[in-house]
Amino acid sequence: METGGSLVQAIRKPTLTPKAIIHQKFGSKASYTVEEVEEPTQNGCPGLAILQKGPCLYRCSLELPDFTVVSGSFKKKKDAEQSAAQIALEKLGINLSSDNPTAEEAWRELIARVKYIFSNEFLSALHPLSSHFKAALRRVGDLNASVPASVIAICDGKLNNLCKIINPTVESHPLLVLSYIMRAAAGLPELVVSAEGQLSIWRKDPYPPNVIESSISQQSDVAESITTTAIYIPCSPEKAVEPVILNISSTGYYLDVIGQILGLSDANMVLISRTIGKASSETRLYFAAPKSYPLDMSSDLLNAKVVPFGGPLNAKASSLCGQDIYGDSILASIGYTWKGQDIFHEDVTLQSYYRMLISKIPSGVYKLSREAILAAELPLTFTTKTNWKGSFPREILSSFCRQYRLLEPVFCVSSIPLKASSELSRSNNKPEVSESAEQEREYANENESVDVDPKLAVLGSSFTCEVKIYAKCQDLILECAPDVLYKKQNDAVQSASLKVLSWLNAYLKDTYMSLEKEKQLANVFDIKFYRQIFFKEVVKCLSVCNCQHNETLGGKEPELNGVVENDASYINIEGTDSGLCPSNGSLLCVCYSVSLVTKGELQKELLESIEEFEFEMGTGAVIPCLEAVVSQMSVGQSACFYTELPPEDLVLAAAKDLANALAFLTSPCCLEYSIILLQVTEPPEDRMEQALFNPPLSKQRVEYAVQHIKEFCATSLVDFGCGSGSLLESLLEYPTSLETIAGVDISQKSLSRAAKVLHSKLVMKSDFDAPCRSIKSAILFDGSITDFDSRLCEFDLATCLEVIEHMEEEQASLFGDIVLSSFRPRILIVSTPNYEYNVVLQKSNLTSHEDDPEEKIQSQSCKFRNHDHKFEWTREQFQHWASELAVRHKYRVEFSGVGGAVDLEPGFASQIAVFRRVFLPEDDDSLKDENSVCQYKVIWEWNRSRPPLTN
């Protein structure tokens, strides 16, 4: 862990996008039309006989007054629009790189901008600021037609961008914009008037009556009074936050109302914060400037300074917007927008305020995304995209960066070839990859927002991801570089994001931890951070509200006086045990409610309830006590238990009736959780196996096949039910005697992936000493393994690994007969799950063999390792099936397995039968006259001696 420093010292000027420049020059005269297009797909696999559907692409047409341009095709609409704008700029002869003004040029543009804002033309423009100007014309007395400088600062984006070019520190000190606006106004004495020490500007000459009439005609015919709720946040930590009502008359100006509540006679002295939450939000903090606000009006543009307020800092308000707020403030969602001339307003309730507070921590963002504030927790691990519920880690991390005014996180994805990743994993003594090789891969368009070098993103590779977070000034704040490997690019990105979020959660809850603990925490999450910059950009925003969070977020525990203790005796589980119990990796669905309960359960107040709430067991996705209770339940059972109060912010953010909740909190109380376990979905087979076996069973099966290839010097192999080609791909990483490999499957989608994987290995890897150099030909067939095709007759070795359980038992028997009687390989290896081993994988009890057979079948169906399994056999059942086949077709069979041991119960996790042919084909007269039969369709074929056919 580093204690200070930065990687990037240069401060970059903000750059306008091509579309923004087009808008500056043409405004509404520029018309963008985006259409979806279809283009020929480059599947990257010559000879593949399956039509590939490409990604959804977009093309943009930009129409300008004098000409029209069309962009190329892009995955994102916004990229197509920017491309069209770029083409138009090139046609206009505008060079982006030379279009950025210097500080002096920006200052001249700023003066021109202020001049335009106070022009007759601007009053009729569709702009949020022009609506403020019209409202200012309705002000009475000395305030008539005066426009607060703070309004100009927050409403005009162009003006803000120019200020950042003049002085980049404006990003950190937004009130500097006021100084530049007032300076610019002072340079326009012929047009506007501004008083020294004041924060308002007005026109020297009134608007002409026809201009005023024209602008008023754009507003709604019926002006209505407005009533909206806001939050009053006192500066004193001893005073409570409370709601206030803003009553704005049809002819009034809302800033005057806010100024009155803040005790100001001149509402022009109301300062306005940045937006809180989304950029499009109108939720802001309003607070008072000192009676005589001293502005830095010096002529030194680049070195303007923020003048200290001298007043008390409002810790509660400052924590919400990441900006220093002084004195009492009002949190309101009100203002004028681009959508129309009428004022926008939305109630801000106390619950909204507390939800904003908890969203300052990553776990709070996740809780809000699940609408389960008192039950959900940010999970500790990212397992699968399917099982993850709520906002994804990458989204939460981006949201966190936006909240703290940081740059968007940078993700650096690296691809490691399968062989290299295997060696790396073995050297680190870690599981080879984070997912089983059996799992289907989704490579195309997995996460189009993350860029990967196409030369690195080779099928069959593993991925790692490094995350970097920068301040707006380009200083590096922290970086996370986990050394875990993932089969999917998206999983690498999400897992790295989650590591950063988990570290942020732990660190922000205890920002004053010792340096030793700080270093230990950083090592746990593979974090390297720059302490000084991190404190300046992030911790400062929270540290200002420590006085509040010490009481509510990790401060003293409430006095319970015997209301509840952390004792299992307070857990009450009701209902019959169905036998369907959750285990780690299971996806659970529960119905729950959480209530505040007073001593003796005399009163109860419902806080939160969800009819169907899903989470993955064992990932930390819910609070620990909830997971502990659910682990003792079975489907259909209900439970009730009690816990101590969590931080008060969480209770109030969840409360449906805040007044009642606050009343409850004044007396000893606790939380009551009521739960019903509705459903348990067992984890996928590979996930259960991965938790117990290293290397994974899939790899052990590959090594078992390699052992037999070497033992019998096999030169040809066919994989029946090859799926996405995981076995064939893995075999290419071992030096063997194989010269011909083939695969058969009924899924064209899987075969397409298999073809791409094999192509990447056989064609793209041309190293002379590569293990796959011995392979001379490869072919993939589309067909059922219960059908015969003479092109696959008499291969040296045939495999059928973890396939037959996906068929009906009759079909599995038919396959056995077909392969041994017609295909006749020298060696056939068949593997299938051992049902008896499920007790270990699922930590459940096996059905008694003395039970009724029908009941046994029903109970087994819910214990299978995969929902797609039609059956799972015990050792006795599998051996009976295989032995009968061997006798019937003149083969000898031996039994073994992987995962477990033959002499320890319950045997192997994956049981294997090895059939060896005991006759020569020429000795079997019944086979000599067999005709050539071709029932399979060739999907992809490769031969080292000739180039593949192009698509």
Side-chain angles (χ1 to χ4, degrees):
M1 181 198 71
E2 297 289 335
T3 57
S6 66
L7 294 182
V8 182
Q9 297 294 339
I11 299 176
R12 299 176 184 175
K13 298 176 182 178
T15 304
L16 294 177
T17 64
K19 191 175 177 183
I21 296 174
I22 290 292
H23 179 75
Q24 278 186 343
K25 297 186 178 297
F26 295 96
S28 59
K29 296 178 181 178
S31 175
Y32 294 86
T33 304
V34 179
E35 61 179 352
E36 192 172 332
V37 295
E38 291 186 7
E39 292 191 348
T41 304
Q42 300 296 323
N43 59 40
C45 184
L48 182 61
I50 300 175
L51 181 63
Q52 298 290 288
K53 183 179 180 181
C56 184
L57 299 176
Y58 300 95
R59 184 183 297 143
C60 178
S61 171
L62 170 57
E63 184 178 351
L64 297 176
D66 297 329
F67 60 86
T68 299
V69 296
V70 180
S71 74
S73 299
F74 295 86
K75 292 181 180 179
K76 297 181 181 179
K77 293 180 181 180
K78 64 179 182 180
D79 290 344
E81 291 175 338
Q82 293 291 359
S83 174
Q86 176 67 46
I87 295 171
L89 290 176
E90 291 172 358
K91 197 165 184 177
L92 290 167
I94 298 174
N95 188 349
L96 272 180
S97 59
S98 63
D99 204 53
N100 291 329
T102 64
E104 290 73 18
E105 291 171 339
W107 173 244
R108 289 194 292 270
E109 286 188 36
L110 178 63
I111 295 174
R113 181 66 182 171
V114 172
K115 184 176 181 179
Y116 168 69
I117 286 172
F118 282 89
S119 68
N120 294 340
E121 179 187 355
F122 184 76
L123 190 64
S124 300
L126 183 60
H127 192 289
L129 188 54
S130 70
S131 298
H132 281 276
F133 276 58
K134 293 164 194 171
L137 293 174
R138 300 194 297 268
R139 303 176 85 177
V140 296
D142 294 339
L143 298 178
N144 180 258
S146 66
V147 181
S150 59
V151 164
I152 300 174
I154 61 122
C155 285
D156 193 66
K158 294 179 182 178
L159 190 147
N160 266 275
N161 286 333
L162 291 170
C163 288
K164 291 174 186 176
I165 294 173
I166 296 168
N167 187 348
T169 61
V170 165
E171 186 66 52
S172 303
H173 304 289
L175 293 182
L176 269 178
V177 177
L178 294 176
S179 295
Y180 288 113
I181 291 173
M182 298 307 293
R183 276 199 237 180
L188 297 167
E190 73 287 352
L191 178 65
V192 297
V193 177
S194 60
E196 185 177 350
Q198 298 298 306
L199 294 176
S200 58
I201 308 172
W202 59 94
R203 275 175 58 114
K204 186 174 183 179
D205 299 322
Y207 288 101
N210 63 314
V211 173
I212 296 176
E213 290 175 8
S214 174
S215 64
I216 292 176
S217 66
Q218 298 174 0
Q219 296 179 293
S220 300
D221 296 334
V222 181
E224 298 180 352
S225 298
I226 292 170
T227 300
T228 188
T229 303
I231 299 297
Y232 189 84
I233 306 176
C235 181
S236 171
E238 286 76 29
K239 293 183 180 179
V241 174
E242 58 185 14
V244 293
I245 303 298
L246 305 182
N247 291 309
I248 304 158
S249 68
S250 58
T251 58
Y253 185 30
Y254 75 89
L255 271 182
D256 290 333
V257 176
I258 290 176
Q260 290 173 8
I261 296 175
L262 291 173
L264 296 174
S265 57
D266 181 4
N268 291 329
M269 300 302 288
V270 173
L271 300 181
I272 309 172
S273 77
R274 303 157 163 162
T275 57
I276 299 173
K278 295 180 179 178
S280 59
S281 166
E282 285 301 315
T283 304
R284 301 174 186 270
L285 284 161
Y286 299 81
F287 58 107
K291 290 184 179 179
S292 181
Y293 183 52
L295 294 170
D296 183 357
M297 301 294 286
S298 65
S299 59
D300 187 355
L301 293 177
L302 295 178
N303 297 307
K305 296 180 176 62
V306 178
V307 180
F309 263 68
L313 184 70
N314 189 325
K316 299 175 186 176
S318 299
S319 68
L320 286 177
C321 65
Q323 175 183 342
D324 289 346
I325 306 296
Y326 295 88
D328 295 347
S329 66
I330 291 176
L331 176 66
S333 182
I334 189 169
Y336 297 101
T337 69
W338 289 93
K339 296 180 181 179
Q341 298 285 324
D342 297 329
I343 191 169
F344 164 86
H345 63 94
E346 192 172 49
D347 287 342
V348 179
T349 64
L350 272 175
Q351 186 188 52
S352 305
Y353 166 76
Y354 285 109
R355 289 186 169 220
M356 290 179 195
L357 271 187
I358 69 172
S359 70
K360 300 297 289 184
I361 304 291
S363 61
V365 179
Y366 180 77
K367 287 172 178 286
L368 291 170
S369 76
R370 299 228 57 193
E371 286 296 326
I373 295 171
L374 298 174
E377 282 288 0
L378 181 68
L380 300 173
T381 58
F382 183 87
T383 53
T384 65
K385 187 176 180 180
T386 304
N387 281 9
W388 185 274
K389 307 300 176 183
S391 295
F392 284 96
R394 185 177 186 276
E395 297 170 18
I396 299 174
L397 185 58
S398 295
S399 173
F400 179 87
C401 290
R402 287 191 290 269
Q403 276 205 70
Y404 288 87
R405 309 287 168 175
L406 309 174
L407 294 178
E408 285 289 311
V410 177
F411 299 92
C412 306
V413 180
S414 301
S415 177
I416 301 175
L418 187 61
K419 183 179 180 182
S421 66
S422 301
E423 294 173 352
L424 178 63
S425 300
R426 284 194 292 269
S427 65
N428 291 336
N429 196 26
K430 294 182 179 181
E432 182 170 344
V433 286
S434 66
E435 296 178 20
S436 166
E438 294 276 337
Q439 184 171 339
E440 288 191 351
R441 304 176 182 86
E442 297 177 7
Y443 294 94
N445 307 315
E446 183 70 63
N447 187 354
E448 59 185 34
S449 59
V450 180
D451 295 325
V452 179
D453 186 343
K455 291 181 287 187
L456 295 177
V458 179
L459 293 173
S461 299
S462 297
F463 296 94
T464 62
C465 178
E466 181 181 10
V467 184
K468 294 183 179 181
I469 296 179
Y470 293 88
K472 286 284 188 181
C473 63
Q474 302 292 323
D475 285 338
L476 180 63
I477 296 177
L478 68 84
E479 52 189 324
C480 176
D483 57 0
V484 183
L485 305 176
Y486 296 87
K487 280 290 184 179
K488 295 182 182 178
Q489 172 186 319
N490 181 60
D491 289 357
V493 172
Q494 300 293 356
S495 296
S497 300
L498 185 56
K499 279 221 169 190
V500 176
L501 293 173
S502 299
W503 177 81
L504 287 168
N505 257 346
Y507 194 91
L508 294 178
K509 288 178 181 178
D510 184 13
T511 55
Y512 295 103
M513 67 179 68
S514 66
L515 288 177
E516 182 180 352
K517 183 178 178 182
E518 190 178 276
K519 184 175 182 180
Q520 182 181 7
L521 185 67
N523 290 336
V524 168
F525 293 103
D526 300 312
I527 296 291
K528 182 180 181 181
F529 79 108
Y530 302 89
R531 195 171 188 272
Q532 185 177 351
I533 304 169
F534 181 75
F535 263 70
K536 174 187 172 184
E537 299 291 341
V538 178
V539 177
K540 179 185 175 185
C541 299
L542 285 177
S543 62
V544 295
C545 61
N546 276 344
C547 56
Q548 176 190 18
H549 282 251
N550 281 342
E551 298 174 5
T552 60
L553 293 176
K556 62 182 182 180
E557 295 294 335
E559 297 292 336
L560 297 174
N561 296 325
V563 174
V564 64
E565 298 176 3
N566 288 324
D567 196 309
S569 61
Y570 285 92
I571 302 172
N572 180 27
I573 298 177
E574 296 181 347
T576 305
D577 186 352
S578 65
L580 301 180
C581 301
S583 58
N584 284 348
S586 301
L587 188 64
L588 310 189
C589 181
V590 301
C591 169
Y592 80 90
S593 63
V594 187
S595 303
L596 272 173
V597 181
T598 58
K599 184 177 180 181
E601 298 188 47
L602 299 178
Q603 290 180 299
K604 184 185 294 188
E605 173 69 20
L606 179 65
L607 296 176
E608 180 176 286
S609 62
I610 296 183
E611 292 292 328
E612 293 184 353
F613 179 75
E614 288 187 322
F615 66 95
E616 184 175 355
M617 190 78 171
T619 61
V622 292
I623 58 174
C625 55
L626 177 57
E627 184 165 298
V629 171
V630 172
S631 67
Q632 304 174 45
M633 300 169 63
S634 64
V635 172
Q637 287 186 322
S638 61
C640 180
F641 65 95
Y642 300 87
T643 70
E644 294 180 344
L645 287 179
E648 187 176 293
D649 288 358
L650 294 179
V651 175
L652 297 178
K656 301 180 185 300
D657 189 324
L658 211 66
N660 283 353
L662 286 168
F664 267 76
L665 292 174
T666 59
S667 58
C669 56
C670 64
L671 291 187
E672 177 193 75
Y673 284 77
S674 297
I675 316 168
I676 302 175
L677 182 55
L678 303 176
Q679 185 178 343
V680 174
T681 304
E682 292 294 346
E685 179 182 0
D686 59 348
R687 288 272 311 284
M688 290 190 291
E689 293 176 352
Q690 185 184 342
L692 286 177
F693 302 106
N694 183 20
L697 288 184
S698 58
K699 183 172 178 61
Q700 293 187 42
R701 285 189 285 266
V702 171
E703 292 175 344
Y704 190 92
V706 170
Q707 175 187 336
H708 283 77
I709 292 171
K710 292 181 176 180
E711 180 181 347
F712 293 97
C713 299
T715 60
S716 57
L717 178 143
V718 56
D719 186 21
F720 290 105
C722 65
S724 55
S726 58
L727 172 65
L728 299 176
E729 172 196 5
S730 300
L731 289 176
L732 298 182
E733 299 295 335
Y734 294 85
T736 67
S737 54
L738 287 177
E739 298 178 358
T740 300
I741 56 173
V744 184
D745 205 273
I746 59 172
S747 169
Q748 288 198 353
K749 183 178 180 181
S750 295
L751 288 168
S752 176
R753 290 174 179 164
K756 294 174 184 177
V757 168
L758 295 178
H759 176 78
S760 69
K761 297 284 184 178
L762 294 169
V763 178
M764 297 183 181
K765 286 193 174 183
S766 56
D767 299 345
F768 182 78
D769 57 348
C772 61
R773 288 292 298 179
S774 66
I775 304 296
K776 297 178 180 178
S777 64
I779 189 168
L780 295 175
F781 292 101
D782 176 16
S784 169
I785 61 175
T786 58
D787 291 333
F788 174 68
D789 191 299
S790 57
R791 287 171 290 186
L792 295 179
C793 273
E794 299 180 13
F795 269 55
D796 287 340
L797 187 67
T799 55
C800 184
L801 306 183
E802 308 298 292
V803 173
I804 60 172
E805 63 273 10
H806 295 271
M807 312 162 69
E808 298 295 342
E809 291 190 60
E810 296 79 7
Q811 291 293 304
S813 296
L814 177 59
F815 161 72
D817 286 329
I818 292 289
V819 72
L820 296 182
S821 66
S822 300
F823 288 107
R824 305 183 304 277
R826 286 174 56 202
I827 305 291
L828 170 66
I829 301 175
V830 179
S831 76
T832 190
N834 173 13
Y835 172 68
E836 295 167 276
Y837 207 90
N838 291 2
V839 64
V840 178
L841 294 173
Q842 301 172 356
K843 298 180 181 179
S844 59
N845 293 322
L846 280 173
T847 306
S848 171
H849 288 277
E850 297 176 2
D851 291 343
D852 181 84
E854 292 295 325
E855 293 181 358
K856 179 179 177 181
I857 292 173
Q858 292 175 4
S859 64
Q860 281 188 1
S861 63
C862 66
K863 295 289 186 179
F864 291 167
R865 301 183 197 177
N866 190 307
H867 66 88
D868 190 48
H869 287 185
K870 303 299 189 295
F871 65 87
E872 287 183 7
W873 282 333
T874 63
R875 287 168 289 177
E876 180 182 353
Q877 290 172 313
F878 179 58
Q879 290 174 14
H880 176 74
W881 173 81
S883 298
E884 284 195 342
L885 282 175
V887 170
R888 195 156 55 242
H889 300 291
K890 300 180 182 179
Y891 274 75
R892 185 174 67 252
V893 64
E894 298 172 357
F895 298 98
S896 184
V898 293
V902 67
D903 54 346
L904 294 177
E905 290 297 323
F908 293 106
S910 183
Q911 51 188 339
I912 297 176
V914 180
F915 297 85
R916 304 175 193 271
R917 196 172 63 196
V918 296
F919 70 95
L920 294 175
E922 55 268 23
D923 295 337
D924 193 334
D925 296 333
S926 63
L927 303 176
K928 290 181 179 179
D929 299 326
E930 190 173 86
N931 295 324
S932 175
V933 177
C934 299
Q935 297 194 61
Y936 295 161
K937 176 184 177 182
V938 176
I939 292 299
W940 174 81
E941 186 174 7
W942 173 87
N943 195 297
R944 190 173 295 277
S945 62
R946 63 176 185 273
L949 298 173
T950 57
N951 293 322

